Amino acid sequence: MDSMKLSKDKLNSFVAILAEQKQLYMPQAEGETLKYSPVNAKVQPDLVFSNTAVPAKSVVFPQVETLFRYEVEKTDIKMPAGEEERVLLGVRPCDARAMSIVDNLFSWDVDDPYYLGKREKTIVVGLACQKPGVNCFCSSVGGGPASTEGLDVLLTDLGESFLVKPLTEKGEKLCQAAGEIFEEASSDDLNSAEKLHQEAAALISRSIETGGIPEKLPGLWESGIWKEVSNACLGCGICTFLCPTCHCFDIQDEIEGFEGRRCRMWDSCMFGEYTLHTSGHNPRPTRRERTRNRINHKYNYFVQKFDVIACVGCGRCISSCPVNIDIIEILQQVKEAQ
Amino acid sequence: MCDNANPYVPYMATIEDTWYETLGDRCVKTFKVTLDDAAARDCWSHKPGQCAMVGLLGVGESMFCISCSPTEGDFLRFSIMRAGKNTQALHEQEIGDKITVRGPYGNNFPMDDWKGKHIITIGGGIGQAPLRPIVEYVKANLDQYAGLTMIYGARTSGDLCFKGEFEDMSKRDDLSCHMTIDLEEEGWNYNVGFVPTMLMDVNPSPENAIAITCGPPIMIRFVLENLKKLNFADEQIYTTLENRMKCGFGKCGRCNVGSLYVCKDGPVFSYATLKDVPEAFA
């Protein structure tokens, strides 16, 4: 399917059409936090933002998710209702790419029915970046401001309109359903989108040459850099909670009255309890070992298993860290370490 | 689990029998359980070394080794030390009560590859639980192995699990069974001394042999040293690892040692593999 054009004065109608067909999720402010939330057809779409504070992973891998329910003292297990069809509108290419990276893990050997169930029923409409954030480094880890991996449709803001590029069968179907509100895109439109993509790529100010890092990390296991780079760490875990590729979770039972549920929730390798044995022994007793594991997981172990770095360069861990720990600087130290 | 099953949803199981192996604050209780669902029983197939998530609805789940061999019958056994919230709640369960089970998880001891070899188990305390399926499996197929030597120790005679079984085995001529406790006790007729020392006294030949050791980290360290002194090659030495786990099948992230997940790539590892894995003995 060829690219089309959506005039901005028809954005409301486009959003309404999407919302009528499926459960639509768009970036919405909750207090000061921008995150993907369900919206209805009457929403006033606002697609002017840098990136959401909480990555789009929260829609397919919720912060807390019910695995099943039961009644206290009974043995019947009740499964949650089936997944609804969803559309995510306005996803930045880094966050979409992160979902396709995490797909590897959740479909590895044993399929994760909750994650994959949501993924299958989710259509991702992306929005190319034009003003990369100060800590963005997507182009260093295989992405880019207009990367299409993990997206079904890519929108590019042309000023008065959006260029709409369907990328997958799911994306084409979605666009066909909204067919009449689109205009034909001219070759000028395509060219200006291409030019905007290139300009955005040139605006990315931070970078790291990642070649050789996965191979070098094993040799730095006992290196002094881990103590050095984790010295300031408070162990708050924000770097992993807001990371679009972090997928680790805890499983807990919750009881309210006679109703019980088993749920899973985001967990962080930066927490001491994450690896704490019942005996009191902890194989990763300090932030040195936890930081070393976090970097190795993203830039070494995941690469060994799935041949891709588990980092998309969104820069959230850098921007959100209360003590300015910077993953690019850590990687730089890895490269320079003897 | 059955192929089409949701891997997070446990099977219900009924406790057929339960008894204490040891007493005290960190007592060990063994549960013999049967899966309630006939279809689940048909799907279930475990091998020595594999684990299962055992728990209670409303409390939680923890990973335990399956402490019986499939050669023993159509049931499961778990020998569980009371140590935290989940194990405390499990210890309160009695015959007829329902617990949840999902699995089996992880790899297994390569019992087929070991056929024709002399099997030596070296256990300490609750570390005998993952070794017990090997012992039972070899006992049930004794003609297929060159022999079975067991070295098992604990701090006191009261800390020995499966004591009755060991007493029976030590009376047999076709098995080599060595029980030891750390300090002299009145009425104790077996050996006294630490497990690594006992290993040197038994002095097994490395020829055509496999040594498997499980127990407290300090014991494992000295057993490994002594096995090297006895000229066992790294490939002839096996152990199991344990780490905190939540899912059991490689998603939740926490049980890794280096790039290996204990729940999927383990819990059984040869020393040849482990000696190069960072964190393996952390």
Side-chain angles (χ1 to χ4, degrees):
Chain A
M1 195 185 232
D2 289 339
S3 293
M4 296 158 298
K5 206 159 79 165
L6 175 70
S7 165
K8 279 195 177 168
D9 55 26
K10 289 190 179 153
L11 182 60
N12 278 10
S13 322
F14 180 55
V15 165
I17 291 169
L18 296 181
E20 275 158 22
Q21 286 183 48
K22 314 197 188 277
Q23 178 57 60
L24 177 64
Y25 285 75
M26 284 186 67
Q28 298 288 299
E30 194 178 294
E32 288 179 2
T33 306
L34 198 60
K35 59 193 246 185
Y36 287 86
S37 305
V39 293
N40 61 30
K42 289 180 194 138
V43 69
Q44 287 301 311
D46 179 4
L47 288 176
V48 182
F49 64 100
S50 170
N51 201 355
T52 54
V54 181
K57 78 169 178 185
S58 63
V59 176
V60 287
F61 177 52
Q63 187 164 2
V64 180
E65 179 170 31
T66 300
L67 299 177
F68 53 83
R69 293 180 185 277
Y70 49 83
E71 279 176 58
V72 174
E73 304 285 319
K74 302 265 174 66
T75 58
D76 290 335
I77 284 171
K78 285 170 278 184
M79 300 307 294
E83 302 300 344
E84 57 190 4
E85 303 260 351
R86 303 147 193 243
V87 183
L88 267 63
L89 179 60
V91 176
R92 292 301 185 187
C94 55
D95 285 358
R97 197 167 162 260
M99 285 194 266
S100 94
I101 289 172
V102 175
D103 289 350
N104 284 303
L105 185 276
F106 280 117
S107 56
W108 173 50
D109 192 39
V110 175
D111 282 351
D112 188 287
Y114 302 92
Y115 176 88
L116 296 177
K118 288 187 178 66
R119 272 293 271 152
E120 201 183 322
K121 297 218 168 172
T122 302
I123 300 177
V124 187
V125 180
L127 179 60
C129 276
Q130 289 176 6
K131 286 182 188 159
V134 288
N135 288 316
C136 288
F137 62 106
C138 57
S139 38
S140 295
V141 280
S147 154
T148 56
E149 197 184 337
L151 287 174
D152 296 300
V153 180
L154 177 68
L155 305 183
T156 304
D157 189 339
L158 298 175
E160 300 299 315
S161 61
F162 290 102
L163 185 76
V164 181
K165 186 179 184 187
L167 299 159
T168 63
E169 203 175 313
K170 268 174 165 181
E172 285 185 8
K173 274 192 188 154
L174 187 80
C175 292
Q176 275 157 5
E180 294 186 355
I181 64 167
F182 295 125
E183 298 159 41
E184 213 170 295
S186 68
S187 60
D188 278 355
D189 296 328
L190 298 181
N191 289 339
S192 44
E194 185 56 40
K195 189 160 164 273
L196 288 166
H197 295 165
Q198 283 170 10
E199 283 170 5
L203 287 174
I204 293 176
S205 56
R206 302 204 63 186
S207 67
I208 176 94
E209 171 50 50
T210 55
I213 291 178
E215 296 76 16
K216 190 164 181 195
L217 278 167
L220 295 178
W221 192 254
E222 295 298 343
S223 161
I225 68 165
W226 302 117
K227 178 83 186 134
E228 207 179 306
V229 300
S230 62
N231 255 340
C233 179
L234 307 172
C236 73
I238 197 75
C239 50
T240 51
F241 263 49
L242 297 184
C243 172
T245 64
C246 276
H247 57 78
C248 293
F249 58 85
D250 190 6
I251 297 179
Q252 293 288 339
D253 280 45
E254 279 185 358
I255 304 280
E256 210 179 307
F258 290 99
E259 297 291 317
R261 68 164 178 162
R262 184 160 292 167
C263 43
R264 72 171 171 194
M265 57 284 292
W266 296 351
D267 201 354
S268 171
C269 60
M270 300 306 290
F271 296 156
E273 271 206 0
Y274 180 76
T275 47
L276 181 65
H277 290 197
T278 313
S279 65
H281 172 69
N282 196 337
R284 290 185 209 126
T286 74
R287 285 165 203 143
R288 167 183 174 268
E289 293 83 20
R290 292 171 210 150
T291 303
R292 181 173 66 186
N293 180 69
R294 174 176 158 244
I295 301 297
N296 268 282
H297 188 205
K298 293 189 172 304
Y299 280 85
N300 172 14
Y301 309 151
F302 206 90
V303 182
Q304 285 183 43
K305 271 204 164 67
F306 303 117
D307 205 24
V308 60
I309 291 172
C311 168
V312 292
C314 72
R316 285 185 180 92
C317 58
I318 307 171
S319 305
S320 313
C321 179
V323 292
N324 299 323
I325 292 176
D326 185 326
I327 194 168
I328 299 176
E329 284 172 16
I330 296 177
L331 295 170
Q332 199 59 49
Q333 290 206 40
V334 166
K335 286 170 72 84
E336 286 163 12
Q338 295 299 313
Chain B
M1 306 292 287
C2 296
D3 285 345
N4 56 351
N6 180 322
Y8 292 93
V9 178
Y11 297 130
M12 298 307 300
T14 303
I15 299 172
E16 304 289 346
D17 200 0
T18 177
W19 60 89
Y20 284 97
E21 300 285 353
T22 70
L23 299 174
D25 285 348
R26 282 151 60 86
C27 51
V28 175
K29 197 175 179 187
T30 292
F31 299 88
K32 181 183 170 189
V33 307
T34 309
L35 301 181
D36 288 354
D37 183 35
R41 283 199 299 276
D42 286 344
C43 294
W44 187 281
S45 146
H46 74 269
K47 293 180 173 161
Q50 286 194 292
C51 300
M53 273 285 181
V54 181
L56 291 162
L57 293 182
V59 182
E61 300 176 302
S62 304
M63 190 69 102
F64 300 97
C65 68
I66 302 166
S67 63
C68 61
S69 157
T71 52
E72 292 178 78
D74 199 13
F75 57 83
L76 296 169
R77 268 175 65 154
F78 303 100
S79 297
I80 294 172
M81 180 185 279
R82 187 174 69 188
K85 184 188 77 168
N86 288 344
T87 53
Q88 168 68 46
L90 283 166
H91 269 229
E92 287 164 12
Q93 307 306 307
E94 295 299 339
I95 294 173
D97 288 345
K98 303 283 184 194
I99 63 169
T100 65
V101 176
R102 57 186 178 88
Y105 295 123
N107 66 354
N108 52 276
F109 294 110
M111 300 310 299
D112 288 340
D113 298 348
W114 292 350
K115 279 185 181 157
K117 293 185 190 293
H118 183 184
I119 305 298
I120 303 153
T121 66
I122 307 151
I126 188 66
Q128 187 64 26
L131 298 176
R132 191 184 171 277
I134 301 180
V135 169
E136 291 304 316
Y137 190 90
V138 174
K139 267 165 64 188
N141 300 282
L142 208 49
D143 54 332
Q144 297 176 26
Y145 294 87
L148 176 62
T149 297
M150 292 155 281
I151 299 166
Y152 180 43
R155 275 185 311 133
T156 69
S157 63
D159 296 311
L160 288 163
C161 295
F162 323 120
K163 205 164 118 202
E165 291 177 358
F166 272 95
E167 282 167 349
D168 290 345
M169 289 190 290
S170 56
K171 289 175 197 143
R172 285 174 59 164
D173 297 335
D174 54 349
L175 305 172
S176 171
C177 186
H178 309 271
M179 262 192 292
T180 182
I181 56 174
D182 290 357
L183 295 169
E184 203 84 52
E185 259 178 53
E186 205 174 315
W188 175 254
N189 299 320
Y190 301 92
N191 305 285
V192 175
F194 295 127
V195 168
T197 317
M198 192 70 225
L199 170 65
M200 295 314 275
D201 293 346
V202 174
N203 192 21
S205 159
E207 199 179 326
N208 196 36
I210 293 286
I212 313 104
T213 182
C214 292
I218 186 76
M219 183 206 93
I220 291 193
R221 212 178 89 200
F222 288 110
V223 166
L224 289 174
E225 271 179 27
N226 287 357
L227 283 170
K228 299 311 289 179
K229 280 183 206 158
L230 294 169
N231 294 317
F232 277 75
D234 297 340
E235 294 75 19
Q236 290 175 283
I237 305 172
Y238 282 76
T239 188
T240 63
L241 294 185
E242 54 181 8
N243 256 342
R244 193 177 178 129
M245 295 178 191
K246 289 290 174 174
C247 69
F249 42 90
K251 313 292 183 209
C252 78
R254 74 202 59 230
C255 73
N256 71 303
V257 285
S259 65
L260 303 172
Y261 281 121
V262 174
C263 69
K264 272 185 62 64
D265 302 304
V268 175
F269 294 96
S270 78
Y271 186 58
T273 305
L274 279 191
K275 68 176 191 288
D276 297 324
V277 177
E279 290 190 307
F281 296 105

